[in-house]
Amino acid sequence: MLDRKAFDSISYSIAIIGSCLDGAFRGCAVNSLQQLTSSMPAKFAVTLNKYNVTEAAVEQTGAFCATVAAADCPEAIIKLFGYKSGRVTDKFAEYDTKTDEAGCPYITEGMAVRMSFRVTQQVDLGSHVMFIAEVTEAEVLLPGAVLTVEMFKNAGKVIPANAPVYRTLDEHYGYRCTICGYVHKSDTLPDDFRCPVCKQPASKFEKL
Amino acid sequence: MLDRKAFDSISYSIAIIGSCLDGAFRGCAVNSLQQLTSSMPAKFAVTLNKYNVTEAAVEQTGAFCATVAAADCPEAIIKLFGYKSGRVTDKFAEYDTKTDEAGCPYITEGMAVRMSFRVTQQVDLGSHVMFIAEVTEAEVLLPGAVLTVEMFKNAGKVIPANAPVYRTLDEHYGYRCTICGYVHKSDTLPDDFRCPVCKQPASKFEKL
């Protein structure tokens, strides 16, 4: 038996990963930040979809900043970092942005904690890359509960297509946006179709 | 700034990992089960402390079963799988145990879902090993909310010493049980001291 509904049960926090690509700030929302070891310097992992510009940024910079969203994080922030592509939007331009000692960007609004990391290992997972990294900085911004995927789903939101936990019934069905990774589940793709995530035209889609 | 309290904010589910070592069932509770990719066969990761017998079992068998604890999972189950060492207790003997197609053990009492995995990659993290694995079986046992570390902590419980999220103020202070990894934070270790986790005597401790 292989019932994918079982996957949905695991609880995840929502974090925003920030790094730099060719001098520009890049970032995205993920559900995949996790502590791996506790001996200092503690190791964490974050898994990023290869379609995300942030993946290329972390690979280039070898460092990233992570903020964990607070339970009352404004929905607009998660939507901006989770659903819009850094190829078409300068996400950090819309909020007051700080940088850590390595120059990686982060916002404080709606965030519970901020941690900075230096990448030590990289694991190719096919569609995603896992970055294993040592913590270099950590601070509590706002004590209290954090936002989980479950809380976000229960508020009627859907999970972005690039998330490790994104669910599709058939991976080889539909059309995928080559810019942001969104999958349109349909037999056909109208010529005037635009990606609901990154607004790119039908010509940027590939058939699965 | 490096405030370790920031690490505590991330939300994790609690899962029980089961595998086999030299024909015997081995298992432990973890906070480190996570989905990595969604394309089938989806990849997951679990990080296990090298002090845990379960780590050796997964390494030997190349397969493991994972059950995610339901929100109302009896505390005795988490304590058994999280705080007792498989070297001194046959954990699976105390509950009705089933096996998956690979022969890995799991219990259903108090569990929300069951998933089985085949290990494809292994990453050495020093104190822990991360196993990256493809899902082979998955089933929902009990629909509903799952237990998180936060819920467990809020019920007055502490986190086992071998967990990736275990917190110590100074890693090089105290005495560590060489059997289960528990760390006794003190300048001295009395001769009649016994490990509160696995009940081993002071002679089994090493100074950090």
Side-chain angles (χ1 to χ4, degrees):
Chain A
M1 183 189 302
L2 218 169
D3 179 358
R4 296 182 62 158
K5 283 199 292 290
F7 303 175
D8 296 1
S9 70
I10 307 175
S11 176
Y12 300 101
S13 298
I14 296 178
I16 292 176
I17 304 300
S19 192
C20 302
L21 185 68
D22 301 330
F25 292 160
R26 301 300 188 176
C28 65
V30 302
N31 72 303
S32 58
L33 179 70
Q34 182 173 49
Q35 189 174 348
L36 299 178
T37 67
S38 55
S39 298
M40 292 301 282
K43 287 179 179 163
F44 286 67
V46 69
T47 301
L48 298 173
N49 194 300
K50 289 180 182 174
Y51 276 105
N52 283 340
V53 187
T54 312
E55 190 279 321
V58 174
E59 196 157 330
Q60 184 180 88
T61 305
F64 61 91
C65 195
T67 49
V68 179
D72 59 355
C73 176
E75 184 191 328
I77 292 177
I78 304 299
K79 288 176 82 166
L80 173 65
F81 282 91
Y83 297 86
K84 293 201 176 169
S85 172
R87 296 184 183 82
V88 291
T89 308
D90 180 0
K91 303 180 189 181
F92 286 100
E94 301 193 25
Y95 290 87
D96 182 35
T97 298
K98 298 183 176 182
T99 54
D100 64 13
E101 288 174 16
C104 294
Y106 66 98
I107 65 170
T108 56
E109 187 177 339
M111 300 294 134
V113 302
R114 189 268 303 188
M115 293 178 275
S116 292
F117 300 94
R118 184 179 65 80
V119 175
T120 57
Q121 284 164 276
Q122 192 172 321
V123 183
D124 192 324
L125 300 167
S127 56
H128 293 69
V129 174
M130 178 193 292
F131 295 97
I132 297 170
E134 290 178 351
V135 64
T136 55
E137 300 171 53
E139 64 175 316
V140 175
L141 301 170
L142 185 74
V146 298
L147 186 66
T148 64
V149 170
E150 196 63 26
M151 290 157 67
F152 193 68
K153 279 195 300 183
N154 288 346
K157 311 307 177 303
V158 296
I159 303 304
N162 288 358
V165 298
Y166 180 63
R167 293 104 198 179
T168 53
L169 291 175
D170 179 355
E171 295 294 324
H172 302 292
Y173 171 68
Y175 294 81
R176 176 162 51 201
C177 174
T178 57
I179 303 302
C180 77
Y182 169 82
V183 174
H184 180 65
K185 290 285 168 192
S186 171
D187 287 329
T188 58
L189 191 75
D191 287 344
D192 61 353
F193 187 84
R194 284 198 167 264
C195 177
V197 176
C198 73
K199 313 301 175 197
Q200 294 294 305
S203 62
K204 298 290 188 187
F205 279 69
E206 62 183 5
K207 197 173 190 320
L208 295 177
Chain B
M1 184 189 302
L2 217 169
D3 179 358
R4 297 182 61 157
K5 283 198 292 290
F7 303 176
D8 296 1
S9 70
I10 308 175
S11 176
Y12 300 101
S13 298
I14 296 178
I16 292 176
I17 304 299
S19 191
C20 302
L21 185 68
D22 301 330
F25 292 161
R26 300 299 187 178
C28 65
V30 302
N31 71 304
S32 58
L33 180 70
Q34 181 173 50
Q35 188 173 349
L36 299 178
T37 67
S38 56
S39 297
M40 293 299 282
K43 287 179 180 163
F44 286 67
V46 69
T47 301
L48 298 173
N49 193 299
K50 289 179 182 175
Y51 275 105
N52 282 339
V53 187
T54 312
E55 190 279 321
V58 174
E59 197 157 328
Q60 184 181 88
T61 306
F64 61 91
C65 194
T67 50
V68 180
D72 60 356
C73 176
E75 185 193 327
I77 292 176
I78 305 299
K79 287 176 81 166
L80 174 65
F81 282 91
Y83 298 85
K84 293 200 177 169
S85 171
R87 294 183 184 84
V88 290
T89 309
D90 180 0
K91 303 182 190 179
F92 285 100
E94 300 192 24
Y95 290 87
D96 183 34
T97 298
K98 298 183 177 182
T99 54
D100 64 13
E101 289 175 15
C104 293
Y106 66 98
I107 65 170
T108 57
E109 185 176 340
M111 300 293 134
V113 303
R114 191 268 303 187
M115 294 179 274
S116 292
F117 300 94
R118 185 179 65 81
V119 175
T120 57
Q121 285 162 277
Q122 192 171 322
V123 183
D124 192 324
L125 299 166
S127 57
H128 293 68
V129 174
M130 179 194 289
F131 295 97
I132 297 170
E134 291 178 350
V135 64
T136 55
E137 301 172 51
E139 64 175 317
V140 175
L141 301 169
L142 185 74
V146 298
L147 186 66
T148 65
V149 170
E150 196 65 23
M151 291 157 66
F152 193 68
K153 280 194 299 185
N154 288 345
K157 311 308 177 302
V158 297
I159 302 304
N162 289 358
V165 297
Y166 180 63
R167 291 109 198 174
T168 54
L169 292 175
D170 180 352
E171 294 294 326
H172 302 294
Y173 172 68
Y175 293 80
R176 175 162 51 201
C177 174
T178 58
I179 303 302
C180 77
Y182 170 81
V183 175
H184 179 64
K185 289 287 169 194
S186 172
D187 288 328
T188 57
L189 192 75
D191 287 345
D192 61 352
F193 187 84
R194 285 199 166 262
C195 177
V197 176
C198 74
K199 311 303 177 197
Q200 294 295 305
S203 61
K204 298 291 187 186
F205 279 69
E206 60 184 5
K207 197 174 190 321
L208 296 177

